[in-house]
Amino acid sequence: MTLTGHMLIGQHIVAGNREAIRGINPATNATLEPAYAGGSAEHVEQACALAWAAFDAYRETPLNVRAEFLESIAEEIEALGDELIERAMAETGLPRPRLLGERGRTCQQLRMFARTVRAGEWLDVRVDNAQPNRQPMPRSDLRQRQIALGPVAVFGASNFPLAFSVAGGDTASALAAGCPVIVKAHSAHPGTSELVGRAVAQAVKTCGLPDGVFSLLCGSGREVGIALVRDPRIKAVGFTGSRSGGLALIQAAQARPEPIPVYAEMSSINPVLLFPAALQKRTQALADGFVASLTLGAGQFCTNPGLVIALKSTALDSFIAATAERIKNSPAQTMLTPAIFNAYESAVNALADNTRANVAAVGQIGSGPNQGQAQVFVSDAADFLADHNLQGEAFGAASLIVQCASVDEMRQVTERLEGQLTATLHLDDEDLDHARALLPTLERKAGRLLVNGWPTGVEVCDAMVHGGPFPATSDSRTTSVGTAAILRFLRPVCYQDFPDSLLPTALKHANPLHLSRLLDGHREALTNDE
Amino acid sequence: MTLTGHMLIGQHIVAGNREAIRGINPATNATLEPAYAGGSAEHVEQACALAWAAFDAYRETPLNVRAEFLESIAEEIEALGDELIERAMAETGLPRPRLLGERGRTCQQLRMFARTVRAGEWLDVRVDNAQPNRQPMPRSDLRQRQIALGPVAVFGASNFPLAFSVAGGDTASALAAGCPVIVKAHSAHPGTSELVGRAVAQAVKTCGLPDGVFSLLCGSGREVGIALVRDPRIKAVGFTGSRSGGLALIQAAQARPEPIPVYAEMSSINPVLLFPAALQKRTQALADGFVASLTLGAGQFCTNPGLVIALKSTALDSFIAATAERIKNSPAQTMLTPAIFNAYESAVNALADNTRANVAAVGQIGSGPNQGQAQVFVSDAADFLADHNLQGEAFGAASLIVQCASVDEMRQVTERLEGQLTATLHLDDEDLDHARALLPTLERKAGRLLVNGWPTGVEVCDAMVHGGPFPATSDSRTTSVGTAAILRFLRPVCYQDFPDSLLPTALKHANPLHLSRLLDGHREALTNDE
């Protein structure tokens, strides 16, 4: 497939008319062809008009049609073959195995949402049958289902050019919910975005869906991005990226005459608590696991373990020494973009200059451009508690180990943390009481709690929560990974005393879709339970 | 019980130190004793500190303990006996039967949430068992449940002094979710608020719960209300009232370092669409039903039918004439407060002065203070479409009938509407195709759609949606009435690879609470299904 450098507005390939961006190979700083001219407010208008025109029809597509569409997207992405992997490698510096894995995850995610759509639990069907003889007043027939919110604007992430981008989790879950999607392509991987965008557009065509179900725009966040969020036909926003970027979108969304929800995943340092017995018994293994998780993918994961909280002890000294040894031997890794590399350098330099933190170890120096060195710092709890800057996110393979004088000080440090995506406990049987005492705090701070694992690696499944209290995300009531992500793009509608012929299929008396229903206060037994 | 004029901070009766308010009997304009001195920022601080201290313990109370607490509140409210009814009558001008009914509804609502808490569907338990042998990577054990958001600030409504006030739907659903509640008493019914507040505090004591589970503050919205919303320990807000009041709270909540959700139910004119055949066949019955719904409770319902949309025809002329006849005979009714009466007068005067609307009929004039006269106006669709003021809410028994030249113009008018709580269709078999064509628009506009009924009267049940797109509410994804209201105060937490002994009871492997679980992708059959 020849890359065109153009946008997709429905089935139309449209050239932008604003300043162009090009992909940059971060391993060489070479610019990549073609140029992607930016879109303007006019293109936003066209895409939104088309999405709006598609909305009522698309949201009522039969569940199996919508599921087949999601599966078709996965097939079209796979059909792109090695061209997609090569282009993504060139634009991100990520290695081939990582991108192969990410493609698998992306397609698996689309197929999982297809299964979710078919099962229909997300419709949350509730039926209260009429009680015409109830005293003192009869009860009407009342039926509730969830319907799609409306067209959704998606802003992908630089660090997952497939799984959190054009056809990533936000797009998949919004499409699953019945929302048309307009993606603003991330400027760090425009070619990858075009390839995947054309795969989605092809699936729209193959499945005979309305054009406006999907569009892909390029351009500046300030012009195209803000215009998208302000457009009255956009009813929700998905975003993964920096805190400043997320907050700008939230502000624009709140300032609309009709405010809309923004699901922004922004920043997290993912505290790891090492409890005394575990630290004592598994010092070397913990250092192995920590450094492996910290340096994975140059540390460019939202769930990167950027903070370790432990009891000051000889075991902790050993852990720090073992960690330092491993960090010193860690090769530098090419980061995703020159901007991310520069931001990482600034963040670690600021930590190095901070008198409240000491450098424990620095990784190997790189030989090419944009190569980030792993770094680990050490601080005392009192210093950490005194300086909020120490809990800022340094996006990359940097982490701070906070030494606490007591388990209660571990609790104080934890209590002081901002909202997080994850919190991890390393514990042994003897640590269980300590861990139990800290659990209420951790539950208030994070969306996912792990025992004896590492936070990198986010399973795509029903029980996953990739979310958490502000500022980890803008809406702690939601997750952006896993089947529950679909719930973000739905709202309930109640139908009172509707004749059966006018009811949506999901609510008809005979339950033709065999949905799980809350019927007169009880969960109905499924007739087609597998 | 002697009214003290004081606030409740946990189990403590605390006197305010700011300007006092007194209840006013709107039927006589007489002020009522005692005076309620307003609270200050210091009282907000005390109540929030207590709520925060109670939160971790309260949110983990066993389900049956929490359910018994809700039932105990209902019993304590009933035990207040006639004193509550008398006081509420004096403070609101509402008649005894209405308040008896509302007390029943309030207690039924508390008991319904008790059943909801026990059933535990709201925990949305999702279990993905470990797959240690999965290729290429093993899967962890992942378990999700919902936990309470944190302490909630509740601002009650003037028009439901029991069901949407101190122990109303917001309080009941927040307590059910595991959130401590701080109520800011509505200044229109401080005595009623104190009585109910003391009933809740007594239930807290009886059930042996932490003091901070409930507090009741008095005072100004600008001082106490905003301080509550700004307090970092408050994690969500429930509000029912005016659009300006709701928007002020939303703005304060968004400006916090950690923004929080505000569930504000604000304004709605509840369009009623009369389709041609129904209008032709049931002209008189529709006029009967319309005027009865419009004038119920002096029109002081959020679901009051403030807009009628119909096809210009001789049948519509007859409907308007029949409506006018009934309106002219409608007695004036005492409104809830002098302020509400004055606002209603202003709104209907503005409509009367608007050249795009004509007065069809005015109800009987009152003989006492604060008596609102029912009023019906008529406008053409072109005028309605040209003047946004015509869709402003006149809180009271006023409605506008919009005459349309075609069914398509009915659609245009509907499409132009702001978000609504309800939309009603009156139809006959021959109207079904028209109705079906309008349904997508109506679903986008309202939270509840009714056929051949009237929007006043909101059933408290599983399937109810009392919510809708902005500005009907601030969050169209939610309902403030019915069991789904509990979902507003919850967020998901995922537990990865937790040892069984550390898992919350709801997530333990043996499912000791017999909860409905999504287990490895399938809805588990319940072992204790009734």
Side-chain angles (χ1 to χ4, degrees):
Chain A
M1 190 182 290
T2 311
L3 289 176
T4 65
H6 297 333
M7 304 183 288
L8 282 165
I9 299 183
Q11 293 293 318
H12 296 278
I13 295 175
V14 177
N17 50 12
R18 290 286 190 274
E19 196 180 349
I21 52 135
R22 276 184 175 77
I24 294 171
N25 186 331
T28 61
N29 275 343
T31 55
L32 301 166
E33 294 300 328
Y36 283 80
S40 62
E42 193 189 329
H43 298 114
V44 171
E45 164 61 33
Q46 290 167 9
C48 289
L50 216 53
W52 190 248
F55 175 47
D56 281 341
Y58 180 62
R59 69 181 166 92
E60 293 299 335
T61 43
L63 300 185
N64 64 326
V65 170
R66 214 183 300 167
E68 284 160 19
F69 170 47
L70 293 165
E71 290 161 346
S72 175
I73 297 172
E75 285 158 27
E76 294 291 345
I77 289 172
E78 287 163 348
L80 292 169
D82 211 45
E83 184 181 1
L84 177 65
I85 303 301
E86 294 278 345
R87 179 75 194 191
M89 286 170 65
E91 287 185 330
T92 63
L94 293 171
R96 176 179 292 273
R98 155 66 200 275
L99 286 166
L100 288 172
E102 191 179 332
R103 181 177 62 185
R105 175 200 175 98
T106 305
C107 294
Q108 182 224 327
Q109 187 163 256
L110 287 157
R111 293 185 171 110
M112 176 194 73
F113 277 113
R115 288 192 298 276
T116 299
V117 167
R118 284 198 183 91
E121 288 235 345
W122 54 277
L123 287 160
D124 191 15
V125 171
R126 296 157 172 254
V127 175
D128 291 304
N129 280 300
Q131 296 177 353
N133 302 318
R134 189 182 64 172
Q135 293 302 326
M137 295 227 299
R139 182 171 84 177
S140 292
D141 179 276
L142 291 148
R143 288 157 192 268
Q144 184 191 125
R145 67 162 178 166
Q146 300 282 328
I147 73 167
L149 276 183
V152 171
V154 169
F155 296 80
S158 59
N159 61 339
F160 280 92
L162 302 175
F164 279 84
S165 191
V166 175
D170 283 344
T171 297
S173 54
L175 291 176
C179 300
V181 168
I182 303 175
V183 175
K184 214 291 264 155
H186 198 290
S187 54
H189 51 267
T192 306
S193 295
E194 185 189 345
L195 288 169
V196 176
R198 286 167 73 175
V200 180
Q202 182 57 48
V204 170
K205 191 173 173 185
T206 304
C207 297
L209 296 172
D211 279 18
V213 165
F214 177 78
S215 290
L216 173 66
L217 301 178
C218 301
S220 86
R222 271 192 302 278
E223 183 168 3
V224 172
I226 294 293
L228 257 181
V229 173
R230 286 190 181 146
D231 191 284
R233 292 159 295 199
I234 294 293
K235 299 300 185 188
V237 176
F239 169 88
T240 307
S242 68
R243 195 187 300 197
S244 59
L247 294 179
L249 295 184
I250 293 166
Q251 195 167 39
Q254 287 293 332
R256 291 164 47 120
E258 179 198 15
I260 54 171
V262 175
Y263 302 108
E265 189 215 309
M266 295 180 288
S267 58
S268 181
I269 55 172
N270 304 295
V272 175
L273 288 86
L274 306 177
F275 286 96
L279 185 58
Q280 176 76 45
K281 291 190 190 171
R282 303 197 296 268
T283 316
Q284 299 296 318
L286 285 173
D288 281 339
F290 172 50
V291 174
S293 177
L294 179 64
T295 58
L296 189 70
Q300 299 165 124
F301 290 103
C302 351
T303 54
N304 190 55
L307 187 73
V308 175
I309 303 168
L311 209 59
K312 202 176 278 191
S313 60
T314 53
L316 181 56
D317 294 340
S318 305
F319 171 81
I320 293 171
T323 295
E325 195 57 34
R326 286 157 179 77
I327 290 289
K328 283 175 197 153
N329 292 321
S330 290
Q333 293 179 74
T334 304
M335 299 191 76
L336 289 157
T337 69
I340 285 174
F341 170 71
N342 291 332
Y344 177 68
E345 289 283 294
S346 298
V348 290
N349 289 342
L351 270 172
D353 290 345
N354 191 320
T355 55
R356 296 187 186 277
N358 297 312
V359 179
V362 181
Q364 293 181 3
I365 198 161
S367 55
N370 306 313
Q371 295 201 348
Q373 295 166 262
Q375 301 208 28
V376 169
F377 300 83
V378 176
S379 174
D380 276 339
D383 282 314
F384 184 84
L385 293 170
D387 186 353
H388 189 74
N389 289 326
L390 290 183
Q391 60 174 294
E393 184 185 26
F395 189 71
S399 192
L400 173 68
I401 299 170
V402 178
Q403 308 183 108
C404 302
S406 63
V407 171
D408 187 63
E409 208 171 46
M410 290 176 68
R411 190 194 53 73
Q412 285 176 50
V413 167
T414 308
E415 196 64 68
R416 186 65 65 83
L417 295 176
E418 296 186 312
Q420 305 290 336
L421 292 172
T422 71
T424 300
L425 302 87
H426 281 279
L427 50 84
D428 209 75
D429 284 351
E430 297 129 82
D431 298 315
L432 274 172
D433 287 344
H434 289 319
R436 196 170 283 116
L438 258 165
L439 210 49
T441 302
L442 293 170
E443 289 172 331
R444 280 191 273 100
K445 293 292 177 185
R448 178 165 58 112
L449 309 180
L450 302 84
V451 168
N452 293 341
W454 297 97
T456 43
V458 180
E459 186 72 33
V460 180
C461 62
D462 290 319
M464 177 50 60
V465 176
H466 190 65
F470 188 92
T473 77
S474 56
D475 189 339
S476 71
R477 298 161 296 176
T478 63
T479 174
S480 63
V481 175
T483 56
I486 194 176
L487 306 176
R488 299 176 297 168
F489 301 112
L490 298 165
R491 46 174 278 260
V493 176
C494 172
Y495 301 77
Q496 181 169 332
D497 288 333
F498 265 50
D500 206 52
S501 66
L502 203 58
L503 278 170
T505 314
L507 297 183
K508 288 190 189 295
H509 288 68
N511 194 12
L513 302 181
H514 305 290
L515 298 167
S516 168
R517 308 189 300 181
L518 192 59
L519 182 68
D520 290 326
H522 294 282
R523 178 64 45 192
E524 194 179 20
L526 280 182
T527 53
N528 67 340
D529 208 2
E530 292 158 274
Chain B
M1 189 182 291
T2 311
L3 289 175
T4 64
H6 297 333
M7 304 182 289
L8 282 164
I9 299 182
Q11 294 293 317
H12 296 277
I13 295 174
V14 177
N17 50 13
R18 289 286 189 277
E19 197 182 348
I21 51 135
R22 277 184 175 78
I24 293 171
N25 186 330
T28 61
N29 276 340
T31 55
L32 302 165
E33 294 301 328
Y36 284 81
S40 63
E42 192 190 329
H43 298 113
V44 171
E45 163 62 33
Q46 291 167 9
C48 289
L50 216 52
W52 190 247
F55 174 47
D56 281 340
Y58 179 61
R59 69 181 167 92
E60 294 299 334
T61 42
L63 300 185
N64 65 325
V65 170
R66 214 183 301 167
E68 283 160 18
F69 170 48
L70 292 165
E71 290 160 347
S72 174
I73 296 172
E75 285 157 27
E76 294 291 344
I77 289 172
E78 287 163 349
L80 292 168
D82 212 45
E83 185 183 0
L84 177 65
I85 302 300
E86 294 277 348
R87 179 74 193 191
M89 286 170 66
E91 287 184 331
T92 64
L94 293 171
R96 176 180 291 274
R98 155 66 199 273
L99 287 165
L100 288 172
E102 191 179 329
R103 181 177 63 187
R105 176 199 174 97
T106 305
C107 294
Q108 181 224 326
Q109 187 163 257
L110 287 157
R111 293 184 170 110
M112 176 193 74
F113 277 113
R115 289 192 298 276
T116 298
V117 167
R118 284 197 182 91
E121 289 234 345
W122 54 277
L123 287 160
D124 191 14
V125 171
R126 295 157 174 254
V127 175
D128 291 302
N129 280 301
Q131 296 176 355
N133 301 320
R134 190 183 64 171
Q135 292 303 327
M137 297 228 296
R139 184 171 83 178
S140 292
D141 178 278
L142 291 148
R143 289 157 191 270
Q144 184 191 125
R145 67 161 178 165
Q146 300 281 328
I147 73 168
L149 276 183
V152 171
V154 170
F155 296 80
S158 59
N159 61 339
F160 280 91
L162 302 174
F164 279 84
S165 190
V166 176
D170 283 344
T171 297
S173 54
L175 290 175
C179 299
V181 168
I182 303 175
V183 175
K184 214 288 269 151
H186 199 290
S187 54
H189 51 266
T192 305
S193 295
E194 186 189 344
L195 288 169
V196 176
R198 287 167 71 173
V200 180
Q202 181 57 48
V204 170
K205 191 174 176 186
T206 304
C207 297
L209 296 173
D211 279 19
V213 166
F214 177 79
S215 288
L216 174 67
L217 301 177
C218 301
S220 86
R222 271 192 302 277
E223 183 169 2
V224 172
I226 294 294
L228 257 182
V229 173
R230 286 191 182 145
D231 192 284
R233 293 159 294 200
I234 295 294
K235 299 300 184 187
V237 176
F239 169 87
T240 307
S242 69
R243 195 188 299 198
S244 60
L247 294 179
L249 295 184
I250 292 167
Q251 195 166 39
Q254 286 293 331
R256 292 164 46 121
E258 180 199 13
I260 54 172
V262 175
Y263 302 107
E265 187 214 309
M266 297 181 287
S267 59
S268 182
I269 55 171
N270 304 295
V272 175
L273 288 87
L274 307 178
F275 286 95
L279 185 57
Q280 176 78 42
K281 291 190 189 170
R282 304 196 296 268
T283 316
Q284 299 297 316
L286 285 172
D288 280 340
F290 172 50
V291 175
S293 177
L294 178 65
T295 58
L296 189 70
Q300 300 166 124
F301 291 103
C302 351
T303 54
N304 190 55
L307 187 73
V308 175
I309 302 169
L311 208 61
K312 202 176 275 190
S313 60
T314 52
L316 181 57
D317 293 341
S318 304
F319 171 81
I320 293 172
T323 294
E325 195 57 35
R326 285 158 180 79
I327 290 289
K328 282 175 195 153
N329 293 321
S330 291
Q333 292 179 75
T334 303
M335 298 190 78
L336 289 157
T337 69
I340 285 175
F341 169 70
N342 290 333
Y344 177 68
E345 289 282 295
S346 298
V348 290
N349 289 341
L351 270 173
D353 290 345
N354 191 320
T355 55
R356 296 187 186 275
N358 297 311
V359 179
V362 180
Q364 293 183 2
I365 199 160
S367 56
N370 306 313
Q371 295 201 347
Q373 293 166 263
Q375 302 208 27
V376 169
F377 300 83
V378 177
S379 175
D380 276 339
D383 282 314
F384 184 84
L385 292 170
D387 186 353
H388 189 74
N389 289 326
L390 291 183
Q391 60 174 295
E393 184 185 27
F395 189 72
S399 192
L400 174 68
I401 299 171
V402 178
Q403 307 184 109
C404 301
S406 63
V407 172
D408 187 64
E409 208 172 48
M410 289 176 70
R411 188 194 55 73
Q412 285 176 48
V413 167
T414 308
E415 197 64 67
R416 186 66 65 82
L417 295 176
E418 297 186 313
Q420 305 291 337
L421 293 171
T422 71
T424 300
L425 302 89
H426 281 279
L427 51 84
D428 209 74
D429 283 350
E430 296 128 85
D431 298 315
L432 274 171
D433 288 344
H434 288 321
R436 195 169 285 116
L438 258 165
L439 210 50
T441 302
L442 293 169
E443 289 173 331
R444 280 191 272 101
K445 293 292 177 183
R448 178 166 58 111
L449 309 180
L450 303 84
V451 168
N452 294 340
W454 296 96
T456 44
V458 180
E459 186 72 34
V460 180
C461 61
D462 290 318
M464 178 49 60
V465 177
H466 191 64
F470 188 91
T473 77
S474 55
D475 189 340
S476 71
R477 298 162 295 176
T478 63
T479 175
S480 63
V481 175
T483 56
I486 193 176
L487 306 176
R488 299 176 297 168
F489 301 112
L490 297 165
R491 47 173 278 258
V493 176
C494 172
Y495 301 77
Q496 181 169 331
D497 288 333
F498 265 49
D500 207 53
S501 67
L502 204 57
L503 277 171
T505 314
L507 296 184
K508 287 189 191 294
H509 287 68
N511 193 12
L513 301 180
H514 304 290
L515 297 168
S516 168
R517 308 190 298 182
L518 192 58
L519 182 67
D520 290 326
H522 294 281
R523 177 66 44 193
E524 196 179 21
L526 280 180
T527 53
N528 68 339
D529 207 1
E530 291 159 274

